[in-house]
Amino acid sequence: MVNIDISKEHDIQLITVVGEIDASSSIELDDALRSASDEGSGIIINLEGLDYISSAGLGVFISYIDELKTKRILFILFGMQPAVKEVFDILGLNQIMKIVTDKDEAIKIANEI
Amino acid sequence: MTQKLKIRLSFLAGLLSWLLFALFDLYALFVAKYELKVNLSELLPQIFLTTFILSTLTFYRYKITKADSVNFLDLLWRVFITGLVTTIGSLIIRLFFYVFANSAISKNPITINFFYHLLVGLVIIFLISTFVIWKRLILYQKSKNLLQLWGFFEYALLGSMIFDFFGNQFFTVNFNTVLIFLSSFALILSFNLKWIAYLNFKQKWKSILFILLSGIYVYHFLLNLTNFSSTNELSINLIDRVYINAIFVFIILYAGISILVTLFNLPTSSVFEQKLKEAIDFQKLSQSIPSGQSENQTYDILLDSSMSAVFADAAFLKLKNNDNILSRNIDQNMIEEVHENVNNNSAKEIISFNFNGDFSNNKVSTSLRHSTFKSIITMPIMVKGSQHGVLVLLQEVADAFNREMVDIIVTFVSQASISIENFTLISEAIENERYQEQLKIAKTVQNSLLPSKLNTHPDFEIVAESHAAEEVGGDYYDMVESQDGVFNFIIGDVSGKGTSAAFNMAQMKGIFHSLVLQNGKPAEFIMLANAALGMCLEKSSFITASYFQIDTIKKKLCHVRAGHCPALYFSRSTNKIQLLESNGLGLGILRNSEYNDFVKEETLTYHNGDILLAYTDGITEARNADNKLYGIEGLKTSLVKHTDCTAEEIKQRIIDDLQVFLGDLELDDDYTLSVMKFDTTRNG
């Protein structure tokens, strides 16, 4: 079960993910990322409330990496719990995605660009 | 005694009795005529006549089967045929007397009596067979009271036979009393005519005909008997016997009443037939499913039975998700015309599949403004609460459909709906069964993709175990000796679960087996594998893998981690466990040459007693009832305890330890565990 909320702060899309992302709920994450990437502005994702993410959920993030890069859309994730962070790190996603600790840091990076 | 034997014996007894009866009677006449001094009981012919009657009765009781709704007409046909044969016999006797009317032979008492005996035989055969058939018809749908009454009547008839021994004359007081008594019995019994209701219109006419013809036989027999009686030469006169008279009265009464009742039932028989047909149609509808018929056949039965139930001139059946319209006596254009001419709101809703489920019987039948059809029934076919189709019945006469007809259609349609619902359920169940079967096959195929046995070498022992949470999974491991003394081991985990993961796992195997033979370094393998997978994996899929190359000549272990859970390496010399967590990225995450920047190869030298533990995240991500993660720490703690064991023992004990941690829970994820233990003592 996952609860995904999209809000707009200035020019940035803030996606807040709360709960668990497994194969079935990854579709909701995909919908949120799809609409946010179509919007064209920067995307910041709040993962403070994310307790668990399955490989299918990770697959959704991965499938947007290329597209967002080509569209030159800023994509930042923040607030991961240690267990979730470990999953991202093991997979090596920390090397190719912007992962920061909190919202302020994320917004700061966003504004710099 | 079998039925057949009983029939044969009674036939024989009857024939013998008749012969003896005729013989003794004629003999008695002979004795009387020539005044011979022979002491012969006058009772003998009487006795044999009685046994003849009883034998005939027994014969027909066994010969004529029970009445059944299908054989009423057969029974009447039997009366007709027996009557015909016996009447022809009787006519021949009359012909004889007609031809020899003026000759002495026709005046001779012996001749007269002989022919009379023949006639008696024929009459009794006809009377008894008809009596038995009437009995069968009366006792069709018997009650206890009726059985008692009939039993009483039969005993009374038996009694009348004994009464006949006293030589009473026709029309004496005693004779009349007994006859009236028996006749009133016969009259009461004659009103049991339930079988007539089961005849259809045509059968009713036939039975009237048969009974009427039988009446002619009876008349003819009576005429012939009285003719003989009037000669006053008879030694035994059938007309003087109450039993025979009573049977005659009974047969005539029952025949007469049957004809009257059948006649009065003629106009209503079509209604009865209609009801019977409805019941049969209903049964057909409800049976159309178990017999494995398709939905369309059910609709065909529904359409035909509904039409005949309400005498519709035309009908059609439309399904929501099917352009094919089933129709009777109406063409496509006409159907569209009808569609346009429906002006009643609820009928409109139903015919255009907008029915809201608020059903009332009086709404479905309405009038229609159309050049041909004036009345219409629109009946929604509901399956699982939603409208599946519509049944439309049309009549050329205005206000042709009454409430009762609508009720019948409602029952028909709901029965068909149940049938169709069952049908869908059954086919769904079959489909499901088929999928299960396919998955079982997939499981066997996938098991064959994993190596049944891993290579062995004096330098190391290696064991592995894999388990899929569902029938098939996405975990993969394999080992290939690419050149003498160089072994390549891969462990991988495809994202997602189930069938899609299993397909990608099969691709991984293909890639491993083709690339491993190029005998490159692990980093080269991973780069090539990423390039290959980038072209065939769907966008959101990726594979994590760890690749180990064991060079038994140089005693080196070279490895690359492509986003996979870091393997544990136990070093005997330091007694410590290190994580092989060099940087790396899952296969398929970056699908261009940029990926190669993230591939990092590491090499270490292995020593005696060192252990390499590779696994998939099913193990480290296992959670117990307290939602506590097993993690790498759990795995490490477990490994430390068992470092002195063989590879197989280590693998088994780690799984046991994990199960202890999980308690009653089961691992619900795919997991793979492989243990490699080095032994350099054997291969100097």
Side-chain angles (χ1 to χ4, degrees):
Chain A
M1 277 303 294
V2 72
N3 201 343
I4 297 174
D5 177 65
I6 309 179
S7 62
K8 200 158 180 175
E9 292 192 10
H10 310 291
D11 266 352
I12 296 161
Q13 306 271 329
L14 177 68
I15 300 177
T16 313
V17 183
V18 177
E20 298 188 347
I21 299 176
D22 54 21
S24 53
S25 57
S26 68
I27 297 158
E28 291 178 51
L29 178 66
D30 189 54
D31 291 343
L33 284 172
R34 166 66 34 224
S35 70
S37 78
D38 289 345
E39 196 71 20
S41 55
I43 302 165
I44 290 179
I45 302 182
N46 178 357
L47 297 179
E48 283 165 349
L50 180 69
D51 300 318
Y52 166 81
I53 183 161
S54 77
S55 56
L58 292 165
V60 174
F61 280 121
I62 290 164
S63 63
Y64 281 92
I65 292 175
D66 259 353
E67 183 183 336
L68 296 173
K69 207 170 170 186
T70 351
K71 283 187 179 172
R72 294 179 180 283
I73 293 173
L74 181 75
F75 185 52
I76 305 172
L77 295 89
F78 74 88
M80 283 184 197
Q81 293 171 21
V84 176
K85 178 85 169 66
E86 192 181 303
V87 172
F88 274 79
D89 290 351
I90 286 178
L91 195 54
L93 290 177
N94 55 337
Q95 304 166 85
I96 56 168
M97 290 169 110
K98 267 264 181 293
I99 299 172
V100 297
T101 49
D102 54 33
K103 192 177 169 181
D104 292 342
E105 201 183 340
I107 289 187
K108 205 178 128 196
I109 296 172
N111 289 335
E112 276 170 14
I113 298 167
Chain B
M1 248 207 298
T2 61
Q3 187 91 349
K4 232 174 182 172
L5 193 66
K6 282 178 187 165
I7 291 172
R8 281 185 186 160
L9 277 180
S10 53
F11 176 78
L12 222 64
L15 191 68
L16 206 67
S17 300
W18 181 81
L19 284 172
L20 288 170
F21 153 68
L23 191 76
F24 280 114
D25 198 33
L26 290 176
Y27 186 64
L29 271 177
F30 203 72
V31 167
K33 192 174 177 187
Y34 298 100
E35 294 173 357
L36 296 172
K37 291 265 180 291
V38 176
N39 198 5
L40 195 73
S41 168
E42 284 184 12
L43 273 176
L44 271 175
Q46 296 251 25
I47 288 167
F48 286 117
L49 179 62
T50 312
T51 54
F52 172 59
I53 293 172
L54 289 173
S55 306
T56 316
L57 195 62
T58 322
F59 174 75
Y60 279 111
R61 274 179 79 140
Y62 289 117
K63 189 87 181 160
I64 295 166
T65 49
K66 266 195 190 131
D68 192 337
S69 56
V70 291
N71 72 356
F72 294 139
L73 223 57
D74 292 348
L75 290 176
L76 293 176
W77 171 252
R78 216 162 174 154
V79 172
F80 170 74
I81 284 297
T82 318
L84 188 69
V85 172
T86 48
T87 306
I88 287 170
S90 150
L91 276 171
I92 291 170
I93 294 168
R94 277 179 80 176
L95 190 72
F96 175 86
F97 283 99
Y98 179 76
V99 171
F100 298 98
N102 300 317
S103 147
I105 197 162
S106 66
K107 302 279 192 304
N108 188 333
I110 294 190
T111 321
I112 292 170
N113 273 289
F114 172 71
F115 279 106
Y116 189 65
H117 291 148
L118 280 177
L119 182 66
V120 164
L122 293 171
V123 168
I124 283 172
I125 286 170
F126 173 71
L127 287 183
I128 297 294
S129 72
T130 310
F131 172 80
V132 173
I133 285 167
W134 272 197
K135 176 188 170 181
R136 296 284 185 241
L137 290 175
I138 286 172
L139 294 185
Y140 175 70
Q141 287 196 357
K142 51 195 164 234
S143 65
K144 203 178 161 193
N145 285 344
L146 181 60
L147 273 176
Q148 276 176 348
L149 198 65
W150 179 264
F152 203 74
F153 179 58
E154 279 202 334
Y155 282 123
L157 283 173
L158 210 65
S160 73
M161 275 181 164
I162 297 162
F163 177 82
D164 286 335
F165 274 96
F166 299 108
N168 287 283
Q169 293 276 306
F170 183 61
F171 239 68
T172 56
V173 177
N174 284 345
F175 187 97
N176 284 357
T177 317
V178 175
L179 187 59
I180 287 166
F181 174 74
L182 287 170
S183 302
S184 34
F185 245 117
L187 187 68
I188 295 165
L189 284 165
S190 295
F191 282 100
N192 287 293
L193 296 152
K194 292 205 176 80
W195 56 278
I196 291 172
Y198 292 87
L199 301 176
N200 64 29
F201 193 74
K202 211 169 145 194
Q203 288 170 327
K204 283 197 175 100
W205 274 119
K206 273 190 189 165
S207 52
I208 289 173
L209 186 75
F210 288 155
I211 298 172
L212 273 178
L213 286 171
S214 310
I216 294 171
Y217 304 149
V218 172
Y219 170 75
H220 170 81
F221 283 132
L222 282 174
L223 202 70
N224 215 351
L225 285 176
T226 32
N227 277 348
F228 272 101
S229 182
S230 59
T231 58
N232 290 326
E233 298 281 0
L234 302 178
S235 57
I236 290 179
N237 193 343
L238 225 48
I239 289 176
D240 287 336
R241 304 187 85 82
V242 177
Y243 178 79
I244 298 296
N245 279 283
I247 298 264
F248 261 119
V249 169
F250 169 64
I251 286 172
I252 292 165
L253 272 177
Y254 196 67
I257 293 169
S258 292
I259 286 178
L260 285 178
V261 171
T262 315
L263 266 176
F264 288 132
N265 263 306
L266 272 175
T268 55
S269 67
S270 61
V271 177
F272 186 81
E273 276 170 50
Q274 180 68 18
K275 288 286 160 205
L276 201 68
K277 193 171 176 312
E278 278 165 20
I280 290 167
D281 282 343
F282 189 73
Q283 201 189 5
K284 259 199 242 163
L285 268 178
S286 54
Q287 283 179 347
S288 65
I289 289 320
S291 57
Q293 291 178 356
S294 73
E295 211 175 301
N296 278 343
Q297 278 167 301
T298 308
Y299 286 132
D300 268 331
I301 298 171
L302 173 66
L303 196 58
D304 290 334
S305 36
S306 302
M307 265 185 89
S308 66
V310 301
F311 309 105
D313 292 319
F316 62 92
L317 195 151
K318 248 187 352 172
L319 294 177
K320 201 173 181 179
N321 46 13
N322 193 342
D323 291 336
N324 215 353
I325 299 177
L326 283 175
S327 60
R328 300 283 187 273
N329 307 335
I330 186 167
D331 60 20
Q332 185 66 37
N333 295 336
M334 203 81 121
I335 289 175
E336 267 157 39
E337 269 179 48
V338 167
H339 208 297
E340 283 159 22
N341 282 310
V342 172
N343 51 6
N344 175 293
N345 277 341
S346 66
K348 228 186 232 171
E349 275 174 16
I350 293 169
I351 207 166
S352 43
F353 302 121
N354 291 325
F355 180 59
N356 57 8
D358 178 22
F359 190 80
S360 102
N361 285 10
N362 51 21
K363 275 189 192 166
V364 294
S365 160
T366 171
S367 58
L368 187 69
R369 243 180 264 151
H370 182 265
S371 53
T372 318
F373 301 113
K374 308 291 179 210
S375 300
I376 183 169
I377 290 181
T378 47
M379 184 66 66
I381 300 166
M382 307 293 287
V383 175
K384 287 180 191 160
S386 66
Q387 197 182 352
H388 200 72
V390 61
L391 171 69
V392 178
L393 298 157
L394 298 157
Q395 247 283 6
E396 291 173 11
V397 185
D399 296 322
F401 300 123
N402 60 32
R403 222 193 131 73
E404 208 194 355
M405 291 172 168
V406 172
D407 286 344
I408 293 164
I409 298 301
V410 169
T411 343
F412 276 10
V413 167
S414 55
Q415 186 58 43
S417 300
I418 291 168
S419 294
I420 289 157
E421 215 170 301
N422 286 346
F423 192 76
T424 358
L425 283 178
I426 289 169
S427 44
E428 273 170 15
I430 291 168
E431 187 82 336
N432 227 334
E433 185 77 6
R434 219 163 51 82
Y435 283 140
Q436 292 295 333
E437 204 54 41
Q438 292 296 318
L439 273 178
K440 265 187 210 160
I441 295 167
K443 189 187 172 95
T444 354
V445 170
Q446 196 181 32
N447 281 339
S448 71
L449 292 180
L450 294 173
S452 54
K453 204 169 171 286
L454 292 167
N455 303 53
T456 51
H457 188 270
D459 258 18
F460 60 82
E461 26 169 5
I462 181 164
V463 290
E465 183 174 321
S466 188
H467 168 86
E470 289 161 28
E471 270 77 5
V472 289
D475 280 8
Y476 175 58
Y477 68 89
D478 212 340
M479 190 179 219
V480 165
E481 186 178 8
S482 56
Q483 67 179 72
D484 263 358
V486 179
F487 295 86
N488 301 274
F489 178 73
I490 188 170
I491 183 163
D493 182 1
V494 177
S495 68
K497 271 196 222 174
T499 3
S500 70
F503 278 118
N504 291 334
M505 174 261 187
Q507 294 200 17
M508 187 67 226
K509 181 183 168 97
I511 288 169
F512 173 69
H513 276 265
S514 55
L515 293 181
V516 76
L517 296 174
Q518 296 188 7
N519 204 23
K521 298 295 288 175
E524 288 168 47
F525 172 87
I526 289 295
M527 287 173 196
L528 288 171
N530 184 63
L533 284 170
M535 284 183 278
C536 54
L537 284 185
E538 59 268 40
K539 218 175 158 194
S540 60
S541 291
F542 60 92
I543 297 173
T544 68
S546 281
Y547 193 95
F548 305 90
Q549 196 168 60
I550 301 112
D551 188 331
T552 55
I553 297 151
K554 294 177 186 158
K555 313 280 182 210
K556 298 276 186 201
L557 171 68
C558 180
H559 66 93
V560 167
R561 189 181 71 85
H564 196 72
C565 321
L568 306 187
Y569 191 86
F570 170 77
S571 167
R572 169 62 67 202
S573 55
T574 59
N575 220 19
K576 284 216 168 83
I577 294 172
Q578 73 172 107
L579 283 176
L580 304 183
E581 48 180 349
S582 58
N583 280 346
L585 194 55
L587 296 164
I589 291 178
L590 278 182
R591 300 187 177 186
N592 50 39
S593 57
E594 275 178 54
Y595 177 85
N596 300 348
D597 302 339
F598 299 97
V599 180
K600 196 159 173 278
E601 196 175 88
E602 277 183 3
T603 308
L604 54 89
T605 310
Y606 62 80
H607 300 98
N608 192 34
D610 288 1
I611 298 162
L612 173 70
L613 185 80
Y615 57 91
T616 58
D617 62 6
I619 303 233
T620 45
E621 286 190 6
R623 281 174 195 271
N624 66 6
D626 303 329
N627 206 27
K628 199 168 164 257
L629 213 62
Y630 194 56
I632 293 175
E633 283 312 311
L635 196 56
K636 265 184 178 174
T637 321
S638 174
L639 176 61
V640 166
K641 287 191 284 181
H642 311 302
T643 51
D644 292 335
C645 305
T646 64
E648 176 63 40
E649 285 165 350
I650 294 169
K651 185 199 81 185
Q652 201 47 56
R653 286 178 190 189
I654 287 174
I655 291 172
D656 291 347
D657 285 349
L658 177 60
Q659 198 53 63
V660 170
F661 168 78
L662 286 172
D664 293 336
L665 292 179
E666 293 266 338
L667 258 183
D668 64 346
D669 198 0
D670 302 345
Y671 75 82
T672 301
L673 179 68
S674 111
V675 178
M676 181 182 246
K677 192 168 185 187
F678 296 96
D679 182 352
T680 50
T681 55
R682 284 177 290 193
N683 189 28

